[in-house]
Amino acid sequence: KAADIHFAHGNPTFIFALTGTDIHGQIHTYYDFVEFTVDYVRANTDSGGYVSMSVVFDGLMAGNYTASELKTMRYSLKSINSVVSGKVAGETVVFDLVNHKSGSAVLVNEKYDHSYNSHCDVVENVIKGQ
């Protein structure tokens, strides 16, 4: 909920991991993140008072992949909804990208810690081959 965001606590930041094995038996792990800034929240809060962001893992080889959210300060995973081409397994979603071209899920977080001020930041390092 946008009303739960108190920016003196820092920008809410969520990191996602996607791990799986492709149809050739190769193991892959990918990470991506979202960071809710003041401007983004102001411009993107819906009429129900919720704000959301997406991560998209493109170019995956067919296989089975498990999506999860890394633990973060102040927020915990409340529910996993709107799953397409996958199944919820505890706090993860297992996607079948062998029999389906794509999959998606909505992970809903709830703020549980409203104490003290802190800040966090995420830096994305990109390593490219030649």
Side-chain angles (χ1 to χ4, degrees):
K1 292 183 177 181
D4 287 342
I5 299 173
H6 182 63
F7 287 101
H9 291 164
N11 293 349
T13 303
F14 302 94
I15 303 170
F16 302 92
L18 185 70
T19 303
T21 304
D22 68 29
I23 58 174
H24 301 294
Q26 296 293 314
I27 297 171
H28 303 274
T29 301
Y30 307 95
Y31 295 93
D32 205 347
F33 68 94
V34 295
E35 178 181 3
F36 291 86
T37 63
V38 172
D39 292 338
Y40 183 87
V41 171
R42 282 184 187 146
N44 294 283
T45 298
D46 67 19
S47 61
Y50 287 89
V51 61
S52 64
M53 294 182 90
S54 299
V55 296
V56 177
F57 295 97
D58 282 331
L60 300 175
M61 184 168 287
N64 292 296
Y65 295 88
T66 300
S68 61
E69 181 177 292
L70 279 64
K71 300 293 181 196
T72 187
M73 289 179 55
R74 302 187 188 284
Y75 292 86
S76 62
L77 184 63
K78 180 181 177 183
S79 63
I80 300 174
N81 307 319
S82 305
V83 178
V84 175
S85 303
K87 293 184 180 184
V88 175
E91 292 189 342
T92 68
V93 182
V94 180
F95 291 104
D96 173 4
L97 300 183
V98 174
N99 297 304
H100 301 89
K101 185 176 179 177
S102 64
S104 63
V106 176
L107 285 74
V108 179
N109 286 278
E110 181 173 55
K111 191 169 188 176
Y112 68 88
D113 184 354
H114 296 270
S115 63
Y116 65 89
N117 294 341
S118 64
H119 289 280
C120 60
D121 202 357
V122 174
V123 177
E124 183 176 15
N125 294 313
V126 177
I127 302 170
K128 292 185 178 183
Q130 296 196 38

